[in-house]
Amino acid sequence: MKRTMVSFIAALTLGGALLVAPAVANADSGISDCPAGDYSNSDGNCVPDPQAGGGSPPAGATAQCRDGDWSFSQHHKGTCSGHGGVADWLN
């Protein structure tokens, strides 16, 4: 599922010329179409939040973080940030 961003176009008249700034999506806007328990990754995909570790990896987990939590990240960059980094990649 792709994240929908609300964008605004700024227009300014300067000496009779209309200047239009391009719409820019702000990833830090806090707007997310993801269900509770998911976050929007850098591609705009909804990905499950890390789950508490222990036992076998849950379905869809891609890494285990150093704090034991399971990550469902789709990219290596940023995986397990805030969880001590990656202890083990699962795939």
Side-chain angles (χ1 to χ4, degrees), residues 3-52:
R3 179 171 147 175
T4 303
M5 298 297 299
V6 177
S7 300
F8 297 95
I9 297 176
L12 172 68
T13 302
L14 181 63
L18 179 64
L19 304 174
V20 179
V24 177
N26 183 354
D28 297 326
S29 68
I31 299 171
S32 176
D33 289 333
C34 296
D38 285 11
Y39 68 94
S40 181
N41 73 3
S42 61
D43 291 334
N45 298 325
C46 293
V47 178
D49 289 333
Q51 292 182 9

Side-chain angles (χ1 to χ4, degrees), residues 59-72:
T62 57
Q64 187 167 29
C65 303
R66 288 189 180 155
D67 67 359
D69 285 357
W70 300 104
S71 174
F72 300 86

